[in-house]
Amino acid sequence: EKKGKEMDDSGLPASQLRQRYHKGGSVPDSDLSASQLRARHGIQSNPKDFSTSSKANENSDAIMLAAGAFAVVIFLYFVVSYFSSM
C-alpha cells in the first residue's frame, strides 16, 4: 500500500488528476485500483446482483418464445394438411 504524496491527491485540480489517472496518464496501471483501471479504460463496473436479468437476456427470451410459437404453427399446419388430404 502506498503512503505519502501519491496517496493524498484530494487537493489536486481535476486537470492534474486526469493527467495522472486517465488513459495515457503518468501513473502505471499496476499502481491503480480496480475502480481506477475501469475508469481509465472505459469499462463499466460489475453489477452488485448478478442474478438480475439484463435487457439482452429479456430480448433473447422474447425471440425464443416467438420462434417456438412459429414452430408450433408450422407443425399444426402440416398436421392439419396431412389429415385433411386423407
Side-chain angles (χ1 to χ4, degrees):
E1 186 174 322
K2 292 187 172 191
K3 299 200 188 273
K5 189 173 155 186
E6 287 186 31
M7 285 299 287
D8 187 25
D9 56 10
S10 60
L12 294 175
S15 62
Q16 233 177 355
L17 290 172
R18 279 192 298 275
Q19 287 174 354
R20 277 187 181 192
Y21 297 116
H22 283 139
K23 202 166 202 163
S26 61
V27 177
D29 283 356
S30 60
D31 291 342
L32 297 177
S33 69
S35 160
Q36 290 168 326
L37 276 172
R38 285 191 299 270
R40 176 178 273 187
H41 297 286
I43 299 171
Q44 291 183 347
S45 62
N46 293 329
K48 300 233 185 282
D49 182 11
F50 289 103
S51 67
T52 58
S53 66
S54 66
K55 290 288 183 193
N57 193 17
E58 291 171 8
N59 289 341
S60 66
D61 289 346
I63 291 170
M64 291 300 291
L65 183 61
F70 182 72
V72 168
V73 168
I74 296 298
F75 175 76
L76 289 176
Y77 172 77
F78 283 112
V79 167
V80 168
S81 65
Y82 174 77
F83 284 113
S84 64
S85 66
M86 290 183 120

